[in-house]
Amino acid sequence: MSQHRPTDNRSGAEAVPEGLWTKCRQCGNMLYQPEVSDDLYVCRHCGHHSRLTARQRIAITADEGSFREHDSAMRTSDPLDFPGYLEKLREDEAQIGLRDALVWGECTIDGIPVSFAAMDFSFRGGSMGAVVGEKFVRAAEHSIERRIPLLVFACSGGARMQEGIVSLLQMAKTTAAVGQMGRAAVPFIVVYTDPLTAGVFASFASVADIVIAEQQSLVGFAGPRVIERAFKIKLPPGSHTAEFQFEHGMVDIVVSRRELQPLLVRILRLVSPRREADAE
Amino acid sequence: MSQHRPTDNRSGAEAVPEGLWTKCRQCGNMLYQPEVSDDLYVCRHCGHHSRLTARQRIAITADEGSFREHDSAMRTSDPLDFPGYLEKLREDEAQIGLRDALVWGECTIDGIPVSFAAMDFSFRGGSMGAVVGEKFVRAAEHSIERRIPLLVFACSGGARMQEGIVSLLQMAKTTAAVGQMGRAAVPFIVVYTDPLTAGVFASFASVADIVIAEQQSLVGFAGPRVIERAFKIKLPPGSHTAEFQFEHGMVDIVVSRRELQPLLVRILRLVSPRREADAE
Amino acid sequence: MSRWLDFDRRLREVDEDIQKLERLLAAPSISEERRSQVRAQIAEIRQREEQIVREVFSHLTAWDNVLLARHADRPYTLDYIGAIFDDFVELHGDRRFGDDPAIVAGLAPLEGRTIAVVGHQKGRDVKERQFRNFGSARPEGYRKARRVMRLAERLGYPVVSFVDTPAAESRLEAEERGIANAIAENMLVMSSLATPIVAVIVGEGGSGGAIGTAVADHVMMLEHAIYSVIPPESCAVILEAFGRDPKRGPEAAEALRLSAQRTLELGAVDEVIPEPPGGAHRDPGGAAERVKKAIIKAIQRLESIPTETLVTARYAKIRNLRHYEEQ
Amino acid sequence: MSRWLDFDRRLREVDEDIQKLERLLAAPSISEERRSQVRAQIAEIRQREEQIVREVFSHLTAWDNVLLARHADRPYTLDYIGAIFDDFVELHGDRRFGDDPAIVAGLAPLEGRTIAVVGHQKGRDVKERQFRNFGSARPEGYRKARRVMRLAERLGYPVVSFVDTPAAESRLEAEERGIANAIAENMLVMSSLATPIVAVIVGEGGSGGAIGTAVADHVMMLEHAIYSVIPPESCAVILEAFGRDPKRGPEAAEALRLSAQRTLELGAVDEVIPEPPGGAHRDPGGAAERVKKAIIKAIQRLESIPTETLVTARYAKIRNLRHYEEQ
Ligand SMILES: [Zn+2]
Ligand SMILES: [Zn+2]
């Protein structure tokens, strides 16, 4: 909680592969790199929402220059001494510039202070181990201390299996922290982004006060391919999407990335009325 | 709460139509009257469970001679001055020997003291008006004061429409009283008996700690015939029964009337452990 | 059978006459003299209209109220929400099974505070009516409302509930998923929710479907809304007193005392909100303004009460309804 | 691949030998001399058996534990319930949708107090296994467990949770009704339930399906139970480290540290309950006796703690799990 390390909130752009043109993963059309971040990483041709790194998410969400990262140095202790795990971590660290799959800190959004966390799917598939769990809890505690909302962008392949039972326990740890927020009457908003599955979906992400989902994100307890393989069945099209979860009552609002920011601002104004008054 | 009027807990037998033989409503076989109450009003031939009056229910459930009725003189004030209502009430009073559709009091069951209420379908279809609501609440308050379980046998056609909005409000009143029991940590057990529908099913009877149902009882929000008429549809066989409600998770245990008493004793022992210890 | 129904038709004719005259006024060719004639005509019609309204509405029958409460032009929950709040973030889903469009729920700002809003939504046109199931909520609707009310409790927001439903959905699928339980659990939760609750019956307060979201510290009712244990037509069909004849619904409505004033006298609501002349549908903006004022007044009062006292008083109000004799 | 599996087979042969000899003893025709010979034989076999058991069990592999935890003869939740409690009133249904036989829940007496019991039930024979969905619970199961735990909280009963599931049900119907939400809400409720909670992992503690009923003040684990984030075979399939080869499950099991002792050291459980020699399935009565003693001891300790302190300490325990470095 004590390590305030200011970071350039635009640095996320560096994580995008170099070169002036990039190819849309959905429609195959070429996208002009300098326009991509202005477009919020949404394809101009087909509307495909690219997966964002944590830094990119911060860059397009937080008020410019307002993000102050906490606990950026935190690393797992590799509790199981799991074969090959540390090597993989070092690779991801080098490539992505993060030490684990969740970045948290404080920032303002349209002037409203929030405790903020974004998960990064490019780091070990956004999986949750001891560091993701601890950082989430610290973000929650920060929101309780400061009496400000917690906003989390969740994407994850599930628990970090290389941390074994320690990773499973993060489900209880993060969910229990949500309980603390509830008792402290601080609002907790989560945004599901592509993809969100397993241990993160089945823990803190399911018990938020307000659940928003980016359209067409894959969202499910088990990934659809996992189920098709395990049970040798074919799933109907459209299952395990944000829209499917909305239809079944698990999501409050499905939005495009373009609609997301104004929606967040409206919600944050509603859940931080006194803050707003303070700021005036 | 103050009117302790001892009543003969066997007097319910008088409500059975006179004559030595009676006909089973399900299989048509003749039943020998003196055996009927020994058989708990269950047909020896087909197992059909006859509907019981409140007094009959008390007689086969409470320890002999232990039931002390409360508030037996309570009558509705006919709040709407509803056409023909008082006449109907007087008819039922004369025929059934009750002043409304719920009898409550205290008794012991296998020596365990309980606050006890039984509804009577023969009185205005067991409908709930101001008197049923008030008596239920008093039974609940009694259980809170004495710190003993409340056991209620529920059968009802719904709200007492001749009391208009007053009868609707009994849904909130009785349900809120269940909330009081919850806060006071006294157990509330309800037994669904044939038939249970509408306003009573959709109020206190749905929020009991433990829900037991006599087998084959009709149990539903809307009666099946009402639905078939209103929506001009045909319902599948077996819908709106105790078994159907069990299948859909609304009932804890479905039992025959023969199994009911030992089950109640087991449950009452579990939920009144200190009482039991006191008695030893 | 309904004086008001004929009257409503006549009133619409008068409205059309006025509109015609107003179009005339707007024409550039009209002379100044003719213009003032037309103005006088309009004023006279309006006066007559007001008089008729006052006269008819001074002795409405219970059945008139039933028809008014169900009037196709009557403002619905989303109309009130749109008129009363500067914003409304609708929340969806019960986190169990689905999202029921027959009940809307969400957060809205009201004079510097945040309100949790729940309400039945009937739907205006054929398509929306079907989508909204005519305002007959399924278990998911009640559970969504409960979820949002619990959220309100957790975050300290007052709850405002708009009630407008013919009845809860009762067909097999609703039964299978526990419509009775959903209604009962809502009443249980609302009876002890640790935040102020205000309910407004804006149209039809239909039986269990209504009371499932109408347990509140302060229950209000629009002047021509109804709050009833049963639709009067069904009551007439069931009871011998009305010859089991659905056409005798008006008599049953009378017997059921379907007027806001009688409902107030019976202790079932705490306040009647007067509607604009001719009914809420003739001036939705005016109706919403009155509802808004009443809601703000109620919330301001309730906010000043310590939560524990509030919850205790709410229970006492619900519990202490009498209407029985102990001889 | 599993020393223990071979050994288990051999052990059963030895058991059969002993049984044969015991039948011989029971024969009326046997001479007194032969009888004492046989007795000595039995004693010798038994001693050898014990030695083998001790030897094999003194260095079981993680994979041995996996096979032991999944052993078809291993006592299941209902076996423990039957052996530990004098009565058990099973409660059913989630009050929302249905009743899930993969989780049992109910009330039971334990030394003068009433306990709320929840637990996964795998099912013994083919028919029961299908009925119980092999102990893979659906959302209804978790919601039933939650309902009964809330009942326990309301009435002041301690909760005992038996954990034994390969995984939560994950197929489409479970997804549609919110299996993720059901697990998460259970953890939320259990993390602050105002009554003591004791969990015992008796067989397979499979991932989210397990932790959804295993958040407790005191989490215990049988000596040969496993508590794992993923089945080792699946782990082997997913990770390059094991060549994406399901046959390398034993290596994955080792890497995942699937032993009660390591699980204890990692802070994931608070106590390991030793099993009778040869594993719980070789002496279900003895295993139940040990579990019963451990439960009673835990509850007695927890009962003496004021509820608020209890809940605070439970959260602190869950929250303060570390395993990270701060630079
Ligand atoms: Zn594209
Ligand atoms: Zn018969």
Side-chain angles (χ1 to χ4, degrees), chain A residues 23-29 31 42-48:
Chain A
K23 203 174 180 179
C24 170
R25 285 176 71 165
Q26 185 168 278
C27 71
N29 277 307
L31 303 170
V42 174
C43 171
R44 294 192 165 193
H45 308 285
C46 71
H48 174 66

Side-chain angles (χ1 to χ4, degrees), chain B residues 24-29 31 43-48:
Chain B
C24 171
R25 285 177 69 166
Q26 185 168 278
C27 70
N29 277 308
L31 303 170
C43 172
R44 293 191 166 195
H45 308 283
C46 71
H48 175 66

Side-chain angles (χ1 to χ4, degrees), chain B residues 182 185-187 206 209-211 246-253 263 266-267 269-271 273, chain D residues 87-99 107-109 112 114 147 151 154-155 157:
Chain B
V186 299
S206 272
D209 293 315
I210 297 177
V211 174
F246 176 85
E247 190 192 328
H248 293 290
M250 310 301 159
V251 166
D252 284 301
I253 309 164
L263 175 66
R266 284 169 62 208
I267 290 174
R269 279 191 191 142
L270 278 166
V271 300
Chain D
D87 192 10
F88 176 58
V89 173
E90 188 176 349
L91 303 176
H92 293 269
D94 67 347
R95 302 290 184 272
R96 303 280 178 270
F97 188 87
D99 181 55
L107 303 180
T114 297
R147 178 175 77 83
L151 189 157
R154 213 159 48 235
L155 299 180
Y157 307 150

Side-chain angles (χ1 to χ4, degrees), chain D:
Chain D
M1 203 172 285
S2 162
R3 206 175 357 207
W4 169 79
L5 205 61
D6 290 337
F7 162 73
D8 190 52
R9 214 172 292 129
R10 255 170 59 213
L11 212 55
R12 261 178 285 178
E13 284 163 19
V14 173
D15 285 344
E16 276 168 35
D17 291 346
I18 292 177
Q19 274 163 29
K20 263 182 227 156
L21 291 170
E22 277 172 344
R23 272 197 299 277
L24 208 64
L25 272 186
S29 56
I30 189 170
S31 73
E32 202 46 50
E33 199 192 334
R34 179 85 185 100
R35 196 184 293 268
S36 67
Q37 275 180 347
V38 172
R39 282 216 188 89
Q41 248 181 306
I42 293 178
E44 193 237 352
I45 295 176
R46 277 205 203 282
Q47 208 173 13
R48 192 152 43 90
E49 189 187 11
E50 263 172 51
Q51 209 181 331
I52 297 169
V53 168
R54 219 174 303 124
E55 196 185 300
V56 172
F57 275 76
S58 67
H59 42 276
L60 285 182
T61 65
W63 186 247
D64 292 335
N65 277 325
V66 173
L67 297 176
L68 269 161
R70 295 175 183 166
H71 196 290
D73 296 337
R74 197 169 171 85
Y76 293 144
T77 291
L78 283 177
D79 300 315
Y80 285 107
I81 290 174
I84 292 172
F85 305 110
D86 292 335
D87 192 10
F88 176 58
V89 173
E90 188 176 349
L91 303 176
H92 293 269
D94 67 347
R95 302 290 184 272
R96 303 280 178 270
F97 188 87
D99 181 55
D100 180 6
I103 287 186
V104 296
L107 303 180
L110 185 68
E111 298 202 327
R113 66 176 83 66
T114 297
I115 302 284
V117 182
V118 301
H120 307 87
Q121 174 65 15
K122 280 186 168 180
R124 186 65 63 196
D125 58 25
V126 175
K127 215 177 132 186
E128 200 203 348
R129 271 166 212 266
Q130 273 172 355
F131 175 65
R132 304 278 183 193
N133 198 31
F134 303 86
S136 282
R138 302 166 193 87
E140 296 74 66
Y142 292 99
R143 290 178 184 136
K144 169 170 65 179
R146 180 156 81 250
R147 178 175 77 83
V148 173
M149 290 190 283
R150 281 285 190 211
L151 189 157
E153 178 182 53
R154 213 159 48 235
L155 299 180
Y157 307 150
V159 172
V160 173
S161 173
F162 294 97
V163 178
D164 189 13
T165 180
E169 174 58 53
S170 61
R171 279 170 285 186
L172 195 61
E173 290 224 343
E175 188 80 51
E176 286 176 343
R177 300 197 298 273
I179 183 67
N181 180 279
I183 288 171
E185 282 199 19
N186 264 27
M187 293 189 295
L188 187 70
V189 164
M190 294 180 87
S191 71
S192 66
L193 200 79
T195 197
I197 312 177
V198 173
V200 194
I201 301 161
V202 294
E204 267 187 291
S207 145
I211 202 166
T213 56
V215 178
D217 299 298
H218 193 69
V219 182
M220 302 185 284
M221 183 170 178
L222 277 175
E223 187 182 356
H224 304 299
I226 57 171
Y227 193 15
S228 181
V229 68
I230 188 168
E233 300 91 327
S234 307
C235 180
V237 167
I238 295 170
L239 290 185
E240 278 174 52
F242 308 107
R244 302 187 186 278
D245 181 358
K247 287 197 223 73
R248 290 175 67 182
E251 282 172 67
E254 197 59 55
L256 289 165
R257 313 296 179 195
L258 298 189
S259 87
Q261 190 52 41
R262 289 306 306 268
T263 311
L264 181 75
E265 285 160 15
L266 286 163
V269 297
D270 304 296
E271 180 181 349
V272 175
I273 304 173
E275 298 190 18
H281 64 289
R282 292 193 51 84
D283 180 7
E289 199 46 54
R290 289 160 190 234
V291 171
K292 180 174 181 171
K293 274 191 191 137
I295 289 174
I296 290 172
K297 200 178 132 213
I299 289 178
Q300 278 173 344
R301 179 175 65 80
L302 297 170
E303 276 175 336
S304 69
I305 302 169
T307 304
E308 214 172 305
T309 314
L310 182 81
V311 173
T312 306
R314 187 188 309 147
Y315 178 69
K317 183 180 77 137
I318 298 165
R319 190 256 169 275
N320 289 331
L321 194 84
R322 306 236 170 227
H323 301 296
Y324 53 81
E325 290 159 6
E326 299 212 51
Q327 90 159 193

